Amino acid sequence: MKKTNSNVSIRTKSVLTGWSFVLLAVILIFVFYFYPMLQALILSFQTGTGSNLTFTGFDNYTRLLSDKTFIVSVKNTFIYLLVQVPLMIVLALFISVLLNDSKLKFKGFFRTAIFLPCVTSLVAYSVVFKYLFAGNGLVNTMLLKLHLVSAPIEWITDPFWAKITIIIAITWRWTGYNMIFYLSALQNIDHSIYEAARIDGASASRQFFGITVPLLKPIILFTSITSTIGTLQLFDEVMNITKGGPGNATQTISQYIYNLSFKYSADFGYAATVSYSIVIMIALLSVIQFKVAGDKNG
Amino acid sequence: MKKGIALLLICLLLLTACSSNSNSGSGSKNTGNAAADNGTSGNTATTEPAHAKEITIWAWDPAFNIAALEVAKAEYAKTNPDVKINIVEYAQADIIQKLNTGLNSGTTKGLPNIVLIEDYRSQSFLQSYKDSFYDLSGSIKGSDFADYKSGPTSLDGKQYGIPFDSGVTGLYARTDYLEQAGYKLSDLQDIDWNKYIEIGKAVKEKTGKALITLDPNDLGLIRVMIQSAGEWYLKEDGKTPNIAGNAPLKEAFEIYKQIMESNVAKVHADWSQFVAALNSGDVASVPTGNWITPSITAEATQSGKWGIAPLPKLTANESVHASNLGGSSWYVMNVDGKETAADFMAKTFGSNVEMYQKLLTDIGVIGTFKAAAGGEAYTQANEFFSGQKIVSDFAAWTEQIPSVNYGINTYAIEDILIVEMQNYLNGKDIDSVLSDAQAQAESQIK
């Protein structure tokens, strides 16, 4: 009888100890993550400017569906997503395989050089890109000097080229980041697999598609999900390079949220609704990616 | 062992709790101090009015607004040496963000006592955060300032803002380029925009220089044109979109397209490229607010090469040769220290004619305080502009600026128009451009 009692108390004690370990983290997560999320959800059912908010039910959500600017922002964001994410992932994969070659010299230098963009400040590099791609910027000057173009390309003020500029910028910034994941995964692949493949007469490309890519699949899934989330939240580059323009040709959803909150007349309720649309999109896309690429590894 | 870990953990928890306690402790101590300060001033209130000893002001542009504040601070210190004035410089976008988040959070901590707000945005703040701004009707008279400033700075018959930067526009032009094309500055007097483009074509042909530089993301030129005709994106109630059927707006769009298609425009993407285009001599003219003067005169080698003409007008009869672009005004926040802040504003920007002369000669600030325009500094000739009395010109144009109600949605509507402008430039019919913009504005602005 006494024994069981002490057993219970020991169990209670260990549960309490366990909880006390995570208690602080749990409280902090509730206060700084769940509470704001709930607040934002409540806010998304309210309309009005500044602090004059009134509950209007699903008004904001119906407005969302007929809001041309929102639709254009979603379209732009998905163009970045569909063009830039695959481009970057293929590029990162390619570079990491090159850098993993045991015969390559100055490996450390190349790895650092390609990873370096990821440690630069988002705002700082965006501003540099803005000046590189300005009408009379370095890129145009070089293209003109090399006689590749006859007139300066309007990188920032033309709707098509502005999108290209943003894609070039984010590819430069994030490729190295993904490359590091591939590189560390590649180093975990046993050399003997490649040796065996070579003995069997497999070409380099056959080795790449037959061994490297399948073995990197979980990492590819991981990088494509993180890149998707990152692209859906794209803000700094667009804000600093093109300000969403010309017109709203490069505007992303995040920038639209900023505009609704601060550029226009402080419509925080509708901005919260738009934020929730991103949450829904990210959740849906992640599920799809898991279904498509996940199989047993997912 | 487990006991040891548990003990350690509890100690750790207590430590964090203590440290957070001490943090909040020091925090409350601070407020305690502030309260004590107010308390003492509150106690002395029986003998003299309650006045805080320290006020904070937020503004942007060190060369213009901050410099003006420094002059006012020195002026106020002569009579009130015991008041400490903190001037904090933020970019305009940062001020808008901080104000919005601060006012929305419901706590007045961290807000300044006085803040500078652009006229286009002021109603959005006054109407969105009622009671957050201090009624200055007892301190200054709205009628002492340029008439077109009263709309943005007052609400429900109460004066909330101290009108400041006039934003009055002029047509800055390179006289040397004009001469090469066979024109003089006097040829720019009282012209309309069609004539302006015609001159621009000649300048382009003779000198190869662009007439104007434009940012496709900023329809400031359109705003200037429609205000010169007494119209705005919104009807007079400040709420109903006024886009389809707005004749001056239609004409402004047509002129904008003509400028683009006549190949007389250079395109820039931001402020620094804009100023660079002027300073490098790439453009022959710039129709804009008088706040550009310090940026133009910064390029000393171009002294004597610039002149300022009145703004061209629309062909519509009601259009005048004067408009406003992005003027701003001071607002006192309804927080502790408001009386001191209001007193500071009333004694400096609200009444001090002498100070306005100093603002003008030292910084080039043209205020909107009517009485100041009679001062000596307003009639001085400016060497950089070949001896032209630019300030008295600007002061005269200030009086002609038509009043319009900016409402609270200037930038929201402008973003719609920027997109439609691109469509228009790409060949969409003007009437459907405006009616589409009208429909979109109506669905977005509620």
Side-chain angles (χ1 to χ4, degrees):
Chain A
M1 191 69 181
K2 210 180 169 187
K3 216 179 167 187
T4 25
N5 253 348
S6 79
N7 262 352
V8 167
S9 75
I10 286 171
R11 200 175 301 140
T12 325
K13 255 188 200 168
S14 68
V15 167
L16 278 179
T17 318
W19 271 107
S20 52
F21 265 111
V22 292
L23 191 65
L24 194 66
V26 168
I27 293 173
L28 290 178
I29 287 171
F30 263 93
V31 172
F32 292 106
Y33 282 84
F34 294 127
Y35 175 68
M37 277 159 69
L38 189 71
Q39 273 290 326
L41 186 66
I42 297 170
L43 192 61
S44 73
F45 295 108
Q46 294 170 298
T47 52
T49 58
S51 51
N52 312 326
L53 290 168
T54 45
F55 273 96
T56 45
F58 285 92
D59 267 17
N60 283 335
Y61 288 88
T62 45
R63 176 180 165 187
L64 200 63
L65 300 173
S66 61
D67 182 349
K68 275 188 190 167
T69 319
F70 172 71
I71 292 164
V72 169
S73 308
V74 172
K75 223 187 264 172
N76 289 337
T77 310
F78 274 81
I79 290 174
Y80 296 137
L81 190 70
L82 294 174
V83 176
Q84 196 266 337
V85 172
L87 180 84
M88 175 176 67
I89 284 176
V90 169
L91 204 62
L93 202 56
F94 182 68
I95 295 171
S96 64
V97 170
L98 287 184
L99 290 183
N100 198 40
D101 193 333
S102 51
K103 281 172 260 165
L104 184 76
K105 280 180 184 169
F106 309 116
K107 221 180 270 183
F109 169 76
F110 288 123
R111 282 181 191 177
T112 315
I114 293 168
F115 186 64
L116 216 52
C118 309
V119 295
T120 55
S121 138
L122 285 167
V123 175
Y125 104 86
S126 303
V127 172
V128 170
F129 261 77
K130 185 166 100 182
Y131 287 101
L132 285 178
F133 285 86
N136 52 1
L138 189 70
V139 173
N140 268 335
T141 316
M142 273 176 32
L143 290 175
L144 285 169
K145 286 253 160 72
L146 294 169
H147 299 289
L148 290 172
V149 294
S150 54
I153 295 176
E154 304 217 330
W155 289 103
I156 291 173
T157 45
D158 178 85
F160 173 76
W161 290 110
K163 282 198 190 77
I164 301 286
T165 310
I166 300 288
I167 289 173
I168 294 174
I170 46 183
T171 307
W172 179 86
R173 173 70 166 77
W174 295 103
T175 302
Y177 181 76
N178 290 308
M179 178 201 78
I180 288 294
F181 288 108
Y182 296 136
L183 214 49
S184 62
L186 281 173
Q187 277 159 8
N188 284 331
I189 299 177
D190 200 334
H191 275 288
S192 55
I193 303 176
Y194 289 102
E195 255 167 56
R198 267 200 296 276
I199 291 165
D200 287 346
S203 66
S205 63
R206 184 94 175 85
Q207 286 174 39
F208 178 75
F209 288 109
I211 302 170
T212 313
V213 172
L215 286 175
L216 286 185
K217 210 170 163 188
I219 304 294
I220 294 175
L221 176 67
F222 170 76
T223 50
S224 53
I225 288 179
T226 50
S227 305
T228 303
I229 296 173
T231 312
L232 283 178
Q233 296 174 341
L234 188 66
F235 177 74
D236 303 63
E237 289 86 350
V238 179
M239 184 72 187
N240 288 297
I241 298 176
T242 61
K243 281 222 164 66
N248 49 20
T250 55
Q251 181 162 292
T252 60
I253 312 173
S254 297
Q255 209 206 350
Y256 188 44
I257 296 171
Y258 175 90
N259 285 349
L260 286 169
S261 309
F262 301 116
K263 190 180 174 190
Y264 309 155
S265 46
D267 194 347
F268 290 111
Y270 187 54
T273 312
V274 179
S275 311
Y276 261 89
S277 77
I278 298 191
V279 174
I280 295 163
M281 279 184 247
I282 289 178
L284 283 177
L285 281 174
S286 300
V287 168
I288 293 170
Q289 278 166 331
F290 267 115
K291 286 267 181 270
V292 171
D295 55 53
K296 63 174 183 278
N297 294 317
Chain B
M1 186 64 192
K2 271 183 185 170
K3 263 187 186 169
I5 293 174
L7 198 71
L8 193 78
L9 200 83
I10 290 166
C11 288
L12 202 74
L13 264 176
L14 276 176
L15 263 175
T16 17
C18 282
S19 64
S20 67
N21 252 346
S22 64
N23 273 344
S24 59
S26 65
S28 59
K29 209 168 136 197
N30 275 340
T31 38
N33 271 343
D37 282 352
N38 293 330
T40 41
S41 50
N43 285 337
T44 52
T46 43
T47 47
E48 53 184 272
H51 276 182
K53 296 289 175 216
E54 189 170 346
I55 57 170
T56 303
I57 309 174
W58 290 355
W60 65 88
D61 196 347
F64 197 89
N65 302 315
I66 300 283
L69 276 178
E70 293 289 354
V71 170
K73 181 180 169 178
E75 199 65 32
Y76 191 65
K78 286 180 191 165
T79 50
N80 299 272
D82 53 337
V83 176
K84 187 167 180 258
I85 297 170
N86 306 312
I87 300 169
V88 186
E89 187 214 333
Y90 288 117
Q92 191 190 162
D94 292 345
I95 292 182
I96 296 161
Q97 277 178 48
K98 281 174 192 292
L99 264 193
N100 265 316
T101 43
L103 291 169
N104 240 294
S105 70
T107 163
T108 53
K109 245 193 208 175
L111 288 177
N113 299 92
I114 298 170
V115 62
L116 187 68
I117 302 177
E118 196 185 22
D119 291 346
Y120 298 136
R121 295 184 189 276
S122 59
Q123 283 298 317
S124 145
F125 280 103
L126 293 180
Q127 292 177 25
S128 301
Y129 306 102
K130 280 189 177 150
D131 305 326
S132 293
F133 294 90
Y134 185 56
D135 178 12
L136 295 165
S137 307
S139 310
I140 60 155
K141 256 199 267 167
S143 57
D144 285 346
F145 297 86
D147 299 336
Y148 72 98
K149 279 278 187 175
S150 78
T153 58
S154 62
L155 181 67
D156 301 336
K158 289 177 183 165
Q159 184 70 28
Y160 285 97
I162 299 106
F164 176 54
D165 174 14
S166 88
V168 60
T169 52
L171 177 60
Y172 292 73
R174 284 288 295 260
T175 46
D176 51 340
Y177 293 165
L178 284 177
E179 271 162 31
Q180 285 178 47
Y183 290 99
K184 289 193 293 291
L185 187 66
S186 56
D187 293 324
L188 294 182
Q189 300 291 317
D190 304 330
I191 56 169
D192 62 18
W193 291 97
N194 295 320
K195 178 77 182 164
Y196 173 67
I197 297 170
E198 195 187 308
I199 294 173
K201 284 183 192 161
V203 169
K204 177 88 185 184
E205 199 183 308
K206 292 278 157 48
T207 65
K209 305 289 180 185
L211 173 69
I212 187 174
T213 173
L214 291 170
D215 179 351
N217 266 334
D218 182 355
L219 294 186
L221 190 64
I222 302 283
R223 263 180 268 141
V224 163
M225 287 179 189
I226 60 175
Q227 186 168 0
S228 80
E231 288 284 351
W232 199 244
Y233 299 149
L234 299 167
K235 292 224 165 93
E236 244 164 74
D237 59 3
K239 288 195 176 84
T240 324
N242 180 24
I243 299 168
N246 182 338
L249 183 62
K250 184 176 174 179
E251 192 185 342
F253 261 61
E254 286 165 347
I255 289 163
Y256 194 95
K257 188 174 186 176
Q258 266 186 54
I259 291 176
M260 283 301 194
E261 288 179 350
S262 317
N263 200 24
V264 293
K266 186 183 157 66
V267 173
H268 68 260
D270 66 6
W271 174 261
S272 60
Q273 287 179 21
F274 171 52
V275 175
L278 310 177
N279 289 347
S280 65
D282 284 350
V283 287
S285 74
V286 46
T288 195
N290 68 85
W291 34 255
I292 198 70
T293 306
S295 302
I296 287 183
T297 53
E299 185 57 55
T301 55
Q302 292 176 2
S303 181
K305 293 179 180 170
W306 285 90
I308 306 173
L311 191 78
K313 72 183 198 75
L314 297 172
T315 49
N317 287 331
E318 63 270 32
S319 173
V320 294
H321 291 282
S323 193
N324 163 45
L325 184 61
S328 53
S329 304
W330 306 104
Y331 293 83
V332 173
M333 310 287 305
N334 206 356
V335 298
D336 286 343
K338 52 185 181 272
E339 294 87 0
T340 312
D343 185 59
F344 166 69
M345 276 294 151
K347 285 186 180 153
T348 53
F349 294 102
S351 62
N352 196 331
V353 173
E354 281 301 304
M355 191 190 86
Y356 273 102
Q357 311 303 313
K358 198 170 158 53
L359 288 179
L360 193 59
T361 42
D362 293 3
I363 312 164
V365 170
I366 300 173
T368 40
F369 188 55
K370 284 176 185 167
E376 209 175 277
Y378 278 70
T379 54
Q380 270 173 11
N382 189 312
E383 280 310 306
F384 190 94
F385 294 96
S386 310
Q388 189 178 348
K389 292 176 180 170
I390 64 166
V391 178
S392 62
D393 284 350
F394 276 128
W397 299 332
T398 300
E399 286 169 19
Q400 299 168 24
I401 300 174
S403 292
V404 295
N405 188 348
Y406 298 130
I408 67 169
N409 292 306
T410 296
Y411 288 105
I413 296 182
E414 186 156 306
D415 266 11
I416 296 169
L417 289 178
I418 287 170
V419 176
E420 286 300 331
M421 176 61 89
Q422 293 293 326
N423 294 339
Y424 177 48
L425 293 177
N426 290 333
K428 190 170 162 182
D429 160 62
I430 179 72
D431 288 317
S432 43
V433 158
L434 295 181
S435 61
D436 284 1
Q438 170 88 16
Q440 211 189 329
E442 275 168 5
S443 78
Q444 276 193 23
I445 295 158
K446 281 169 188 166

